[in-house]
Amino acid sequence: MTLELLTRAGCQACAAARLDLARICADLGVEFTEVDVDRAAADGSPDIRAEYGDRLPVVLLDGDEHSYWEVDEPRLRADLAARA
């Protein structure tokens, strides 16, 4: 299972989502990675910014878009529990 948070520097909604996701993951013993879409684009992966850059933050679960603009906590907890 992979859990990713797509963000952008200076994004207040991204900062709030990061805190929510960190809390949820700590409760469930799950790890997540954070990807700055602008940095990824500068490093040669512009597709991720083109796909998700207009609705950040975005939570990806196993590569699929799970939620955007905020963490859907009840749904995420249920989906993570189902994969445990």
Side-chain angles (χ1 to χ4, degrees):
M1 176 189 66
T2 60
L3 185 59
E4 292 179 290
L5 177 63
L6 306 182
T7 63
R8 169 175 284 133
C11 169
Q12 293 301 320
C14 297
R18 181 183 309 110
L19 291 174
D20 289 342
L21 198 54
R23 178 181 44 78
I24 295 164
C25 288
D27 287 350
L28 300 175
V30 174
E31 294 186 16
F32 73 95
T33 58
E34 184 173 343
V35 177
D36 181 307
V37 298
D38 296 320
R39 185 173 301 137
D43 289 343
S45 299
D47 294 345
I48 197 166
R49 182 173 60 190
E51 177 69 23
Y52 300 107
D54 64 342
R55 56 186 183 275
L56 296 173
V58 175
V59 176
L60 300 178
L61 181 58
D62 291 333
D64 295 323
E65 187 173 317
H66 187 272
S67 58
Y68 60 95
W69 292 337
E70 60 185 25
V71 178
D72 184 341
E73 185 169 348
R75 182 171 165 235
L76 181 60
R77 284 184 180 275
D79 290 345
L80 291 173
R83 286 174 164 82

